[in-house]
Amino acid sequence: AIKELDSLIEKGAFIELKEVKRTRSNRQNRALHLYFTFISDELTNLGATFCYEGVKGSTMEIPYTSEIVKDFFWRPIQKQLFDTDSTTKLTTDQINTIIDVVNKFFATKGVVIAFPSYESLINESEKL
């Protein structure tokens, strides 16, 4: 990298360095959506249903999905803490903060949900 920069400088190139806050990687994105699935699966296993309101003013009980978890659990917390609606604009530290909030909430209900990692997936497979 230093040789490349020196070469560019010798050619008269203008170089600007700036610090960029790192947002999540593709792997983290997949893990985040898998986490939403883990939560929705656990809620479904507990017999919980989501009360959907909107079909001509009626309420329907439907099974939890990863999208429901994202839209009705994750996103409101994200909005309050970091004033953004987009999960793509979150940094890794911000994601970790939201995970802590979500996990603390579920822990008070007696539900432990681990964020997907190689270690947690290996531990889950060993339980089977």
Side-chain angles (χ1 to χ4, degrees):
I2 292 172
K3 286 181 183 179
E4 183 67 25
L5 286 174
D6 287 341
S7 172
L8 290 170
I9 290 169
E10 285 176 12
K11 293 177 184 174
F14 178 76
I15 300 170
E16 179 182 0
L17 298 175
K18 66 179 181 175
E19 183 179 10
V20 177
K21 287 197 176 201
R22 196 178 119 172
T23 57
R24 67 179 190 217
S25 66
N26 286 335
R27 180 180 289 168
Q28 288 169 323
N29 183 50
R30 289 190 306 271
L32 182 59
H33 285 86
L34 185 57
Y35 178 66
F36 299 151
T37 300
F38 285 176
I39 293 171
S40 65
D41 288 350
E42 186 64 28
L43 291 170
T44 299
N45 290 340
L46 292 171
T49 55
F50 180 75
C51 291
Y52 173 71
E53 296 179 20
V55 179
K56 295 187 179 184
S58 63
T59 301
M60 298 171 57
E61 289 188 29
I62 59 175
Y64 277 94
T65 66
S66 61
E67 287 300 314
I68 289 172
V69 170
K70 180 179 180 181
D71 291 340
F72 294 96
F73 284 93
W74 183 275
R75 212 179 294 272
I77 296 166
Q78 165 185 306
K79 180 71 174 169
Q80 287 299 310
L81 291 177
F82 304 111
D83 196 29
T84 181
D85 290 317
S86 174
T87 58
T88 61
K89 294 183 179 170
L90 295 173
T91 65
T92 301
D93 288 340
Q94 290 171 325
I95 288 172
N96 290 337
T97 299
I98 299 169
I99 289 168
D100 289 343
V101 170
V102 171
N103 284 344
K104 185 176 180 180
F105 168 77
F106 281 108
T108 64
K109 309 291 184 204
V111 178
V112 177
I113 301 170
F115 189 80
S117 66
Y118 289 123
E119 294 81 17
S120 69
L121 293 175
I122 288 170
N123 289 340
E124 279 298 312
S125 68
E126 288 174 354
K127 290 179 186 177
L128 300 175

